[in-house]
Amino acid sequence: MDTYTAELPDNFIHQVLSLLSTKHAVRAGILSKEWGHLWSSVPVLDFDEDEDGQPSADNRKLKRKMFINFMRRCLKRRGKDESNIEKFRLHMRYFGGATIVSKWLSLAVERNVKELQISFIRGRESGVRSYRPFFLPQAILNNAKSLTTLKLQSVTVKDSIDPINLPSLKILSLKQVQFRSTLSFMHLISGCPSLEHFLLTSCTGLSDLKILSLSLKSLEVVDCDVRGIQVEAENLESFKFHGNVFSRLQFEFSPAREFDFA
């Protein structure tokens, strides 16, 4: 393999490795000495616990341990490289122990990450009493100034008096996200002055949903348990609502517009 890759420029190799998951990028580095020193500076990091298929009940704990150890080794190696991270994706089961996840998120923010995707798989595990929430670190909301896309699944956003500052965020997707209060939701939205596309799916902890945004262009609310929705977004072009419409559910738009509801 080295015979055919020795003269390839580093930026080309980076592009190739960026198309692979981090696990396969590391494997490619093992096969080729020319590629081996480059995977740790690839601008895309992609970790998926179920990349090789869902494990059986018998070897699930072993597979998770191997996955966490792999993440730790990659974190140690990637932490020595100061190049930027364009995209960071993490898909895994979470039963507590937020340290390794928080370290990765902090590193991604320090490396000016633009696209961040965090997805936790919910479900009971043998020997685990209940689902444990992962609280989104406040440092992500305070300091991710380069972030343009944020996609979260099965995380918890807690109340905080600290300011939220996501000035470059344009795309926000929240699925099965738990808010400790409606105030924490409004606090999040107010810290995203450039937000254009917003998707809420099966989120909890909200009552009356109030969205104020001068930049918002599209809004979709799917299966969220809310009593009322108030939207003040003068540039809104698309609004979709999916779910049960109760008699107390009211929609208010400013300026007044007509939208279709499913």
Side-chain angles (χ1 to χ4, degrees), residues 32-77:
S32 171
K33 293 181 180 179
E34 295 296 328
W35 292 34
H37 71 286
L38 292 175
W39 76 262
S40 60
S41 59
V42 171
V44 176
L45 292 169
D46 189 338
F47 297 96
D48 189 341
E49 186 176 351
D50 289 341
E51 182 177 0
D52 297 325
Q54 294 187 9
S56 63
D58 295 333
N59 66 356
R60 188 171 294 165
K61 289 185 178 179
L62 176 61
K63 293 281 286 186
R64 181 182 305 115
K65 184 177 180 179
M66 293 173 60
F67 178 74
I68 295 297
N69 288 337
F70 173 71
M71 286 184 60
R72 287 198 174 101
R73 292 195 301 270
C74 290
L75 177 62
K76 184 177 181 179
R77 178 77 176 268

Short mmCIF file of all heavy atoms in Angstrom, two decimals, residues 32-77:
data_model
loop_
_atom_site.label_atom_id
_atom_site.label_comp_id
_atom_site.label_asym_id
_atom_site.label_seq_id
_atom_site.Cartn_x
_atom_site.Cartn_y
_atom_site.Cartn_z
N SER A 32 -0.87 1.52 6.41
CA SER A 32 0.08 2.32 5.65
C SER A 32 0.88 3.24 6.56
O SER A 32 0.31 4.03 7.31
CB SER A 32 -0.68 3.17 4.61
OG SER A 32 0.18 4.10 4.00
N LYS A 33 2.20 3.16 6.48
CA LYS A 33 3.05 4.04 7.28
C LYS A 33 2.86 5.50 6.86
O LYS A 33 2.97 6.40 7.69
CB LYS A 33 4.52 3.63 7.12
CG LYS A 33 4.83 2.26 7.72
CD LYS A 33 6.30 1.93 7.56
CE LYS A 33 6.62 0.57 8.15
NZ LYS A 33 8.06 0.22 7.99
N GLU A 34 2.61 5.72 5.58
CA GLU A 34 2.43 7.08 5.09
C GLU A 34 1.15 7.70 5.63
O GLU A 34 1.05 8.91 5.78
CB GLU A 34 2.40 7.10 3.56
CG GLU A 34 3.70 6.67 2.91
CD GLU A 34 4.83 7.62 3.24
OE1 GLU A 34 4.55 8.82 3.40
OE2 GLU A 34 5.98 7.18 3.34
N TRP A 35 0.16 6.86 5.90
CA TRP A 35 -1.12 7.36 6.40
C TRP A 35 -1.17 7.35 7.93
O TRP A 35 -1.98 8.03 8.54
CB TRP A 35 -2.27 6.49 5.87
CG TRP A 35 -2.49 6.62 4.40
CD1 TRP A 35 -1.55 6.81 3.43
CD2 TRP A 35 -3.74 6.54 3.72
NE1 TRP A 35 -2.13 6.85 2.19
CE2 TRP A 35 -3.49 6.69 2.34
CE3 TRP A 35 -5.05 6.34 4.13
CZ2 TRP A 35 -4.48 6.66 1.37
CZ3 TRP A 35 -6.06 6.31 3.17
CH2 TRP A 35 -5.77 6.47 1.81
N GLY A 36 -0.29 6.55 8.54
CA GLY A 36 -0.36 6.33 9.98
C GLY A 36 -0.23 7.59 10.81
O GLY A 36 -0.86 7.73 11.85
N HIS A 37 0.59 8.54 10.38
CA HIS A 37 0.81 9.75 11.17
C HIS A 37 -0.22 10.83 10.86
O HIS A 37 -0.18 11.91 11.47
CB HIS A 37 2.22 10.30 10.91
CG HIS A 37 2.40 10.91 9.54
ND1 HIS A 37 2.48 10.13 8.41
CD2 HIS A 37 2.48 12.21 9.14
CE1 HIS A 37 2.63 10.93 7.36
NE2 HIS A 37 2.62 12.19 7.79
N LEU A 38 -1.14 10.55 9.92
CA LEU A 38 -2.06 11.59 9.49
C LEU A 38 -3.48 11.45 10.05
O LEU A 38 -4.21 12.43 10.12
CB LEU A 38 -2.15 11.60 7.94
CG LEU A 38 -0.90 12.06 7.20
CD1 LEU A 38 -1.11 11.90 5.70
CD2 LEU A 38 -0.59 13.52 7.54
N TRP A 39 -3.89 10.24 10.47
CA TRP A 39 -5.28 10.07 10.89
C TRP A 39 -5.63 10.95 12.09
O TRP A 39 -6.78 11.42 12.22
CB TRP A 39 -5.58 8.61 11.20
CG TRP A 39 -5.04 8.12 12.52
CD1 TRP A 39 -3.89 7.43 12.72
CD2 TRP A 39 -5.63 8.29 13.81
NE1 TRP A 39 -3.72 7.16 14.06
CE2 TRP A 39 -4.78 7.68 14.75
CE3 TRP A 39 -6.79 8.92 14.27
CZ2 TRP A 39 -5.05 7.69 16.12
CZ3 TRP A 39 -7.07 8.92 15.62
CH2 TRP A 39 -6.21 8.31 16.54
N SER A 40 -4.64 11.21 12.95
CA SER A 40 -4.93 11.98 14.16
C SER A 40 -5.13 13.47 13.88
O SER A 40 -5.54 14.22 14.77
CB SER A 40 -3.81 11.81 15.19
OG SER A 40 -2.57 12.24 14.67
N SER A 41 -4.86 13.90 12.66
CA SER A 41 -5.10 15.31 12.31
C SER A 41 -6.24 15.46 11.30
O SER A 41 -6.47 16.54 10.78
CB SER A 41 -3.82 15.93 11.73
OG SER A 41 -3.39 15.23 10.57
N VAL A 42 -6.97 14.37 11.05
CA VAL A 42 -8.12 14.42 10.15
C VAL A 42 -9.19 15.33 10.76
O VAL A 42 -9.48 15.22 11.96
CB VAL A 42 -8.69 13.01 9.91
CG1 VAL A 42 -10.01 13.06 9.17
CG2 VAL A 42 -7.69 12.17 9.14
N PRO A 43 -9.79 16.23 9.99
CA PRO A 43 -10.74 17.20 10.56
C PRO A 43 -12.11 16.62 10.89
O PRO A 43 -12.96 17.33 11.42
CB PRO A 43 -10.85 18.25 9.45
CG PRO A 43 -10.54 17.52 8.20
CD PRO A 43 -9.50 16.51 8.57
N VAL A 44 -12.36 15.34 10.58
CA VAL A 44 -13.64 14.70 10.87
C VAL A 44 -13.41 13.53 11.83
O VAL A 44 -12.59 12.65 11.56
CB VAL A 44 -14.33 14.19 9.59
CG1 VAL A 44 -15.62 13.45 9.94
CG2 VAL A 44 -14.63 15.35 8.65
N LEU A 45 -14.12 13.55 12.94
CA LEU A 45 -14.07 12.47 13.91
C LEU A 45 -15.46 11.86 14.05
O LEU A 45 -16.43 12.57 14.32
CB LEU A 45 -13.58 12.98 15.27
CG LEU A 45 -12.12 13.44 15.31
CD1 LEU A 45 -11.83 14.17 16.61
CD2 LEU A 45 -11.19 12.24 15.17
N ASP A 46 -15.55 10.55 13.85
CA ASP A 46 -16.85 9.87 13.81
C ASP A 46 -16.76 8.58 14.62
O ASP A 46 -16.10 7.63 14.22
CB ASP A 46 -17.23 9.57 12.36
CG ASP A 46 -18.65 9.06 12.21
OD1 ASP A 46 -19.21 8.54 13.20
OD2 ASP A 46 -19.21 9.17 11.11
N PHE A 47 -17.43 8.56 15.78
CA PHE A 47 -17.44 7.39 16.65
C PHE A 47 -18.85 6.82 16.72
O PHE A 47 -19.80 7.54 17.06
CB PHE A 47 -16.97 7.75 18.06
CG PHE A 47 -15.56 8.25 18.13
CD1 PHE A 47 -15.29 9.61 18.14
CD2 PHE A 47 -14.50 7.37 18.20
CE1 PHE A 47 -13.99 10.08 18.21
CE2 PHE A 47 -13.18 7.82 18.27
CZ PHE A 47 -12.93 9.18 18.28
N ASP A 48 -19.00 5.54 16.44
CA ASP A 48 -20.30 4.89 16.46
C ASP A 48 -20.15 3.53 17.15
O ASP A 48 -19.48 2.63 16.63
CB ASP A 48 -20.84 4.71 15.04
CG ASP A 48 -22.28 4.22 15.01
OD1 ASP A 48 -22.76 3.68 16.02
OD2 ASP A 48 -22.94 4.39 13.97
N GLU A 49 -20.79 3.39 18.30
CA GLU A 49 -20.66 2.14 19.06
C GLU A 49 -21.25 0.96 18.31
O GLU A 49 -20.81 -0.18 18.47
CB GLU A 49 -21.36 2.30 20.42
CG GLU A 49 -21.15 1.10 21.34
CD GLU A 49 -21.74 1.30 22.70
OE1 GLU A 49 -22.18 2.43 23.02
OE2 GLU A 49 -21.78 0.33 23.48
N ASP A 50 -22.25 1.21 17.47
CA ASP A 50 -22.92 0.14 16.73
C ASP A 50 -22.46 0.06 15.28
O ASP A 50 -23.18 -0.44 14.42
CB ASP A 50 -24.43 0.32 16.78
CG ASP A 50 -24.99 0.02 18.16
OD1 ASP A 50 -24.30 -0.64 18.95
OD2 ASP A 50 -26.12 0.47 18.45
N GLU A 51 -21.27 0.57 15.02
CA GLU A 51 -20.78 0.60 13.64
C GLU A 51 -20.71 -0.80 13.03
O GLU A 51 -21.00 -0.98 11.84
CB GLU A 51 -19.38 1.24 13.61
CG GLU A 51 -18.79 1.35 12.22
CD GLU A 51 -17.45 2.06 12.23
OE1 GLU A 51 -17.00 2.47 13.33
OE2 GLU A 51 -16.87 2.23 11.15
N ASP A 52 -20.36 -1.78 13.83
CA ASP A 52 -20.26 -3.16 13.33
C ASP A 52 -21.51 -3.98 13.63
O ASP A 52 -21.48 -5.21 13.61
CB ASP A 52 -19.04 -3.85 13.96
CG ASP A 52 -17.73 -3.17 13.57
OD1 ASP A 52 -17.65 -2.69 12.43
OD2 ASP A 52 -16.82 -3.12 14.41
N GLY A 53 -22.62 -3.29 13.88
CA GLY A 53 -23.87 -3.97 14.20
C GLY A 53 -24.10 -4.01 15.70
O GLY A 53 -23.16 -3.89 16.51
N GLN A 54 -25.34 -4.15 16.11
CA GLN A 54 -25.66 -4.19 17.52
C GLN A 54 -25.15 -5.49 18.16
O GLN A 54 -25.38 -6.57 17.62
CB GLN A 54 -27.17 -4.07 17.73
CG GLN A 54 -27.74 -2.73 17.32
CD GLN A 54 -29.20 -2.59 17.71
OE1 GLN A 54 -29.75 -3.41 18.43
NE2 GLN A 54 -29.83 -1.53 17.22
N PRO A 55 -24.44 -5.37 19.27
CA PRO A 55 -23.90 -6.57 19.92
C PRO A 55 -24.99 -7.39 20.59
O PRO A 55 -26.06 -6.87 20.92
CB PRO A 55 -22.93 -5.99 20.95
CG PRO A 55 -23.51 -4.65 21.28
CD PRO A 55 -24.11 -4.14 20.00
N SER A 56 -24.72 -8.65 20.81
CA SER A 56 -25.66 -9.51 21.52
C SER A 56 -25.63 -9.17 23.01
O SER A 56 -24.72 -8.47 23.49
CB SER A 56 -25.28 -10.99 21.33
OG SER A 56 -24.01 -11.25 21.89
N ALA A 57 -26.62 -9.63 23.74
CA ALA A 57 -26.69 -9.34 25.17
C ALA A 57 -25.48 -9.89 25.92
O ALA A 57 -25.05 -9.32 26.93
CB ALA A 57 -27.98 -9.91 25.75
N ASP A 58 -24.90 -10.97 25.42
CA ASP A 58 -23.78 -11.63 26.10
C ASP A 58 -22.48 -10.82 26.03
O ASP A 58 -21.69 -10.83 26.97
CB ASP A 58 -23.54 -13.03 25.53
CG ASP A 58 -24.72 -13.97 25.78
OD1 ASP A 58 -25.43 -13.74 26.78
OD2 ASP A 58 -24.91 -14.89 24.98
N ASN A 59 -22.25 -10.16 24.90
CA ASN A 59 -20.97 -9.45 24.74
C ASN A 59 -21.13 -7.94 24.69
O ASN A 59 -20.21 -7.23 24.30
CB ASN A 59 -20.24 -9.94 23.50
CG ASN A 59 -20.99 -9.58 22.22
OD1 ASN A 59 -22.09 -9.03 22.25
ND2 ASN A 59 -20.37 -9.90 21.09
N ARG A 60 -22.29 -7.41 25.10
CA ARG A 60 -22.53 -5.97 25.02
C ARG A 60 -21.60 -5.19 25.94
O ARG A 60 -21.05 -4.15 25.54
CB ARG A 60 -23.99 -5.68 25.37
CG ARG A 60 -24.41 -4.22 25.13
CD ARG A 60 -25.92 -4.09 25.29
NE ARG A 60 -26.59 -4.83 24.23
CZ ARG A 60 -27.89 -5.14 24.27
NH1 ARG A 60 -28.62 -4.80 25.30
NH2 ARG A 60 -28.44 -5.80 23.27
N LYS A 61 -21.40 -5.68 27.15
CA LYS A 61 -20.53 -4.96 28.09
C LYS A 61 -19.09 -4.95 27.60
O LYS A 61 -18.38 -3.95 27.72
CB LYS A 61 -20.62 -5.60 29.47
CG LYS A 61 -21.95 -5.35 30.18
CD LYS A 61 -21.93 -5.91 31.59
CE LYS A 61 -23.23 -5.63 32.31
NZ LYS A 61 -23.24 -6.17 33.69
N LEU A 62 -18.64 -6.07 27.04
CA LEU A 62 -17.28 -6.15 26.52
C LEU A 62 -17.10 -5.20 25.34
O LEU A 62 -16.08 -4.50 25.26
CB LEU A 62 -16.95 -7.58 26.11
CG LEU A 62 -15.58 -7.81 25.46
CD1 LEU A 62 -14.47 -7.41 26.42
CD2 LEU A 62 -15.42 -9.25 25.01
N LYS A 63 -18.07 -5.17 24.45
CA LYS A 63 -17.99 -4.28 23.29
C LYS A 63 -17.96 -2.82 23.73
O LYS A 63 -17.23 -2.01 23.14
CB LYS A 63 -19.18 -4.53 22.37
CG LYS A 63 -19.18 -5.90 21.70
CD LYS A 63 -18.23 -5.94 20.52
CE LYS A 63 -18.79 -5.19 19.34
NZ LYS A 63 -17.95 -5.34 18.14
N ARG A 64 -18.75 -2.48 24.74
CA ARG A 64 -18.75 -1.10 25.20
C ARG A 64 -17.42 -0.74 25.82
O ARG A 64 -16.89 0.36 25.61
CB ARG A 64 -19.87 -0.86 26.21
CG ARG A 64 -19.91 0.62 26.68
CD ARG A 64 -20.97 0.90 27.71
NE ARG A 64 -22.26 0.49 27.21
CZ ARG A 64 -22.97 -0.49 27.75
NH1 ARG A 64 -22.50 -1.14 28.78
NH2 ARG A 64 -24.15 -0.80 27.27
N LYS A 65 -16.84 -1.65 26.59
CA LYS A 65 -15.54 -1.40 27.20
C LYS A 65 -14.47 -1.18 26.14
O LYS A 65 -13.64 -0.27 26.25
CB LYS A 65 -15.15 -2.56 28.11
CG LYS A 65 -13.85 -2.36 28.86
CD LYS A 65 -13.56 -3.52 29.79
CE LYS A 65 -12.26 -3.30 30.55
NZ LYS A 65 -11.96 -4.42 31.48
N MET A 66 -14.51 -1.98 25.09
CA MET A 66 -13.56 -1.83 23.99
C MET A 66 -13.77 -0.50 23.28
O MET A 66 -12.80 0.18 22.90
CB MET A 66 -13.71 -2.99 23.02
CG MET A 66 -13.31 -4.34 23.59
SD MET A 66 -13.70 -5.72 22.48
CE MET A 66 -12.72 -5.28 21.04
N PHE A 67 -15.03 -0.09 23.12
CA PHE A 67 -15.35 1.17 22.46
C PHE A 67 -14.84 2.36 23.26
O PHE A 67 -14.23 3.29 22.72
CB PHE A 67 -16.86 1.26 22.25
CG PHE A 67 -17.32 2.54 21.61
CD1 PHE A 67 -17.10 2.77 20.26
CD2 PHE A 67 -17.98 3.51 22.35
CE1 PHE A 67 -17.53 3.95 19.66
CE2 PHE A 67 -18.41 4.68 21.76
CZ PHE A 67 -18.18 4.90 20.42
N ILE A 68 -15.07 2.35 24.58
CA ILE A 68 -14.62 3.44 25.44
C ILE A 68 -13.10 3.51 25.46
O ILE A 68 -12.51 4.60 25.38
CB ILE A 68 -15.16 3.26 26.86
CG1 ILE A 68 -16.69 3.37 26.89
CG2 ILE A 68 -14.55 4.30 27.80
CD1 ILE A 68 -17.22 4.71 26.46
N ASN A 69 -12.44 2.36 25.52
CA ASN A 69 -10.97 2.35 25.51
C ASN A 69 -10.43 2.89 24.19
O ASN A 69 -9.40 3.60 24.17
CB ASN A 69 -10.45 0.93 25.75
CG ASN A 69 -10.64 0.48 27.19
OD1 ASN A 69 -10.75 1.31 28.10
ND2 ASN A 69 -10.69 -0.83 27.41
N PHE A 70 -11.09 2.55 23.10
CA PHE A 70 -10.67 3.08 21.80
C PHE A 70 -10.81 4.60 21.77
O PHE A 70 -9.92 5.32 21.28
CB PHE A 70 -11.52 2.44 20.70
CG PHE A 70 -11.29 3.02 19.33
CD1 PHE A 70 -10.12 2.79 18.64
CD2 PHE A 70 -12.28 3.81 18.74
CE1 PHE A 70 -9.92 3.34 17.39
CE2 PHE A 70 -12.09 4.37 17.49
CZ PHE A 70 -10.90 4.12 16.80
N MET A 71 -11.92 5.11 22.30
CA MET A 71 -12.11 6.56 22.35
C MET A 71 -11.04 7.24 23.18
O MET A 71 -10.54 8.31 22.82
CB MET A 71 -13.50 6.88 22.91
CG MET A 71 -14.65 6.61 21.96
SD MET A 71 -16.23 7.12 22.66
CE MET A 71 -15.96 8.86 22.92
N ARG A 72 -10.67 6.62 24.30
CA ARG A 72 -9.64 7.20 25.15
C ARG A 72 -8.29 7.26 24.43
O ARG A 72 -7.57 8.27 24.53
CB ARG A 72 -9.51 6.38 26.45
CG ARG A 72 -10.65 6.56 27.42
CD ARG A 72 -10.25 6.10 28.81
NE ARG A 72 -11.29 6.39 29.78
CZ ARG A 72 -12.16 5.49 30.25
NH1 ARG A 72 -12.09 4.24 29.81
NH2 ARG A 72 -13.06 5.83 31.13
N ARG A 73 -7.95 6.20 23.72
CA ARG A 73 -6.67 6.20 23.00
C ARG A 73 -6.67 7.27 21.90
O ARG A 73 -5.67 7.96 21.69
CB ARG A 73 -6.42 4.82 22.39
CG ARG A 73 -6.16 3.72 23.42
CD ARG A 73 -5.57 2.48 22.77
NE ARG A 73 -6.45 1.92 21.74
CZ ARG A 73 -7.39 1.01 21.98
NH1 ARG A 73 -7.58 0.57 23.22
NH2 ARG A 73 -8.13 0.53 21.01
N CYS A 74 -7.80 7.40 21.22
CA CYS A 74 -7.89 8.41 20.16
C CYS A 74 -7.82 9.81 20.75
O CYS A 74 -7.19 10.71 20.17
CB CYS A 74 -9.20 8.24 19.38
SG CYS A 74 -9.27 6.76 18.35
N LEU A 75 -8.47 10.01 21.90
CA LEU A 75 -8.45 11.32 22.55
C LEU A 75 -7.03 11.71 22.94
O LEU A 75 -6.60 12.86 22.74
CB LEU A 75 -9.34 11.30 23.79
CG LEU A 75 -9.39 12.58 24.63
CD1 LEU A 75 -9.94 13.73 23.80
CD2 LEU A 75 -10.25 12.38 25.88
N LYS A 76 -6.28 10.75 23.47
CA LYS A 76 -4.90 11.01 23.86
C LYS A 76 -4.05 11.40 22.65
O LYS A 76 -3.26 12.33 22.71
CB LYS A 76 -4.31 9.78 24.56
CG LYS A 76 -2.91 9.98 25.08
CD LYS A 76 -2.42 8.73 25.82
CE LYS A 76 -1.03 8.93 26.36
NZ LYS A 76 -0.54 7.72 27.09
N ARG A 77 -4.26 10.69 21.55
CA ARG A 77 -3.49 10.96 20.33
C ARG A 77 -3.93 12.28 19.69
O ARG A 77 -3.10 13.09 19.29
CB ARG A 77 -3.69 9.80 19.34
CG ARG A 77 -3.00 9.96 18.01
CD ARG A 77 -1.50 9.68 18.10
NE ARG A 77 -0.91 9.74 16.78
CZ ARG A 77 -0.76 8.68 15.98
NH1 ARG A 77 -1.17 7.47 16.39
NH2 ARG A 77 -0.18 8.80 14.80
#
